[in-house]
Each structure stands twice: as structure tokens, then as C-alpha cells.
């Protein structure tokens, strides 16, 4: 559970726009609001909705500076463009979660449910999140914005109206993307460190599977040896 009870989002931001805008940023080193809006107008009904979604997209691609710098230096434009789609979606998910931590809380809450049952209703999702954020209209609108984003990012699948199941649970293949994904969990959970084997069962890792390459030179993480083998990773 994140330590920040800030919702901050009330409009869906399409993955396609975030993906394309991140590519442009990695190539040029710049994020232009007008370019994001131009793309958003092509895929969003209504100028006001497009403007609001563009504002959130700009925040996602500028606010988590430490993680954006890591993506820029450890992945880069040419590599990002050639990554498997599940890896690019994992990168975007991390940026969204680090900008709007409610994303992290929502997925962790869903993971605890999916571990005991295959399907979950929107009503139950609201109830789970209300225990963290309280019952209010802002929360409901925030969940409305995030659910279609999580479906696009492959974390969830909609079975029918108001009913969801877990997505395909892909394995992240690129070492830097795996490092980013682990660092996001440690940062948003408020943990100082986690045991390496915790990536097998912590809620955040229910949706994307990772295996850290311990021989890699970490930039976001630091590895500490444990007394009984395995070891721990924390933020560097």
C-alpha cells in the first residue's frame, strides 16, 4: 500500500499516446504539450476530455523524474522502440503508478482478490478501495479512469460489463525494465528493501513476472547479501 492517499486522475489516458510520447521524449529529450494534445484529439472524443487527458499524460511523462532519467539512460530510444510490447507496457505502468500511486494501490488490492478467486466485480473493487481512500465521488471517478488504462496495459481483462479477471501475466524480458518494475514496488510500498524471492509473491508482481539479473549493474537498486543466501534489494 502506498503512503500517499492522493487520487489526482479523473480521465483515462490511452496507452498508445503515452507510448508514442515516451518514444518522442527519448529521441528528442523534450515533451511538448501541443504534440500530446494533437495525438489525444485523434483518439479521444471531445476537446475538453482530450485536453484533460493530455494534462495527465504530460504529468506521467515529466513528474517521476528519477524513473524517467533511468529509462532514458538505461533503455534509451532505440532499445525502447524494439522492446516487446509487454515490456513497453510495464514501463508505462511504472510511470503511471509513480505519478498516481492509487494505481499501485488498486493493483495490489486486486492481486489479493485474484489470488483467491478468478473474477472480481466493479462493486467489490470499489469496496476494497474505499477501505483505503474512504467513500467519495473522487475515488469512484479515479477508478473509472484507471480501469480502462489497466486493461490496455494488459494487467486486467474485462469479462463482461463490471466484471474483470487478471490479464496474461507476462514475464518482463529486458533487465532494465525488470529493475524499474522492482524499484517501483519498493518505492511505492514504502519498503526499505525486499528479499529477492519476494518478487515471486508480492502483490505488485502478480501482474508482471520479473527475474532480476543479479550480474547486471543496477542503477536504481542496490543488492545486499542475506545471511541465508538469496539477498535483498533496496533503492540505491
Amino acid at each position: 500500500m502506498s503512503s500517499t492517499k492522493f487520487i489526482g486522475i479523473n480521465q483515462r489516458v490511452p496507452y498508445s499516446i503515452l507510448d508514442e510520447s515516451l518514444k518522442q521524449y527519448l529521441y528528442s529529450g523534450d515533451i511538448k504539450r501541443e504534440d500530446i494534445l494533437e495525438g489525444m484529439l485523434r483518439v479521444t472524443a471531445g476537446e475538453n476530455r482530450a485536453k484533460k487527458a493530455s494534462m495527465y499524460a504530460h504529468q506521467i511523462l515529466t513528474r517521476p523524474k528519477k524513473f524517467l532519467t533511468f529509462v532514458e539512460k538505461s533503455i534509451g530510444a532505440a532499445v525502447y522502440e524494439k522492446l516487446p510490447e509487454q515490456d513497453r507496457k510495464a514501463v508505462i505502468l511504472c510511470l503511471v503508478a509513480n505519478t498516481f500511486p492509487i494505481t499501485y494501490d488498486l493493483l495490489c488490492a486486486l492481486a489479493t482478490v485474484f489470488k483467491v478467486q478468478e473474477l472480481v466485480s466493479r462493486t467489490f473493487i470499489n469496496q476494497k478501495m474505499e477501505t483505503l481512500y474512504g467513500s467519495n465521488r473522487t475515488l469512484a471517478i479515479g477508478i473509472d479512469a484507471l480501469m480502462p488504462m489497466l486493461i490496455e496495459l494488459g494487467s486486467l481483462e474485462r469479462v463482461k460489463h463490471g466484471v474483470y479477471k487478471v490479464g496474461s501475466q507476462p514475464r518482463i524480458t529486458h533487465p532494465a525494465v525488470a529493475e524499474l518494475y522492482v524499484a517501483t514496488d519498493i518505492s511505492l510500498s514504502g519498503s526499505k528493501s525486499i528479499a529477492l524471492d519476494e518478487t515471486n509473491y508480492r502483490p505488485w508482481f502478480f501482474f508482471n513476472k520479473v527475474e532480476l539479473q543479479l550480474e547486471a549493474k543496477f542503477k536504481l537498486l542496490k543488492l545486499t547479501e542475506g545471511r541465508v543466501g538469496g539477498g535483498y534489494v533496496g533503492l540505491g
Side-chain angles (χ1 to χ4, degrees):
M1 183 175 66
S2 71
S3 59
T4 304
K5 293 297 165 279
F6 165 71
I7 296 170
I9 186 169
N10 60 22
Q11 175 68 45
R12 166 184 169 259
V13 184
Y15 161 72
S16 61
I17 300 300
L18 290 169
D19 181 48
E20 186 59 37
S21 297
L22 180 57
K23 286 179 197 174
Q24 291 177 5
Y25 166 73
L26 293 174
Y27 274 114
S28 68
D30 189 29
I31 292 287
K32 295 182 179 179
R33 293 175 185 266
E34 57 269 26
D35 290 344
I36 296 176
L37 178 57
E38 182 181 343
M40 203 69 73
L41 286 168
R42 293 196 300 266
V43 298
T44 305
E47 185 175 353
N48 288 338
R49 286 179 178 269
K51 286 181 176 178
K52 187 176 289 187
S54 297
M55 176 187 70
Y56 293 135
H58 187 267
Q59 291 174 3
I60 291 165
L61 297 171
T62 56
R63 279 190 177 178
K65 292 182 179 178
K66 177 174 72 172
F67 297 103
L68 283 163
T69 299
F70 173 81
V71 173
E72 185 177 8
K73 293 183 176 180
S74 298
I75 300 174
V79 172
Y80 178 83
E81 197 165 18
K82 294 178 182 178
L83 286 175
E85 188 174 45
Q86 70 265 19
D87 279 25
R88 297 202 314 276
K89 287 184 174 182
V91 170
I92 296 296
L93 176 60
C94 289
L95 296 178
V96 172
N98 280 293
T99 306
F100 304 110
I102 185 178
T103 311
Y104 176 85
D105 288 338
L106 177 56
L107 284 176
C108 288
L110 286 168
T112 62
V113 177
F114 285 135
K115 286 180 179 181
V116 295
Q117 61 189 58
E118 183 179 353
L119 304 177
V120 62
S121 70
R122 174 57 195 271
T123 300
F124 190 70
I125 293 169
N126 286 357
Q127 291 172 350
K128 288 283 287 185
M129 293 302 289
E130 284 171 4
T131 63
L132 300 175
Y133 286 80
S135 178
N136 59 78
R137 181 63 178 158
T138 303
L139 172 63
I141 295 173
I143 296 174
D144 283 341
L146 288 171
M147 291 299 285
M149 292 172 66
L150 295 177
I151 291 170
E152 277 193 300
L153 291 170
S155 301
L156 302 176
E157 291 182 20
R158 192 176 80 160
V159 178
K160 60 182 180 179
H161 181 70
V163 178
Y164 305 87
K165 68 177 184 178
V166 69
S168 60
Q169 299 175 295
R171 179 167 293 278
I172 293 171
T173 61
H174 194 281
V177 180
E179 183 178 358
L180 174 65
Y181 200 81
V182 173
T184 295
D185 179 58
I186 295 172
S187 177
L188 292 177
S189 67
S191 304
K192 291 184 178 180
S193 64
I194 63 172
L196 287 171
D197 65 355
E198 286 187 82
T199 59
N200 294 320
Y201 56 82
R202 283 172 69 89
W204 176 247
F205 301 98
F206 186 77
F207 300 94
N208 288 278
K209 306 302 182 183
V210 304
E211 184 175 346
L212 287 174
Q213 294 189 10
L214 302 184
E215 68 276 11
K217 195 171 183 179
F218 294 141
K219 294 181 179 177
L220 285 174
L221 300 173
K222 61 180 179 182
L223 177 64
T224 304
E225 291 186 5
R227 291 183 178 179
V228 194
Y232 299 84
V233 284
L235 295 179

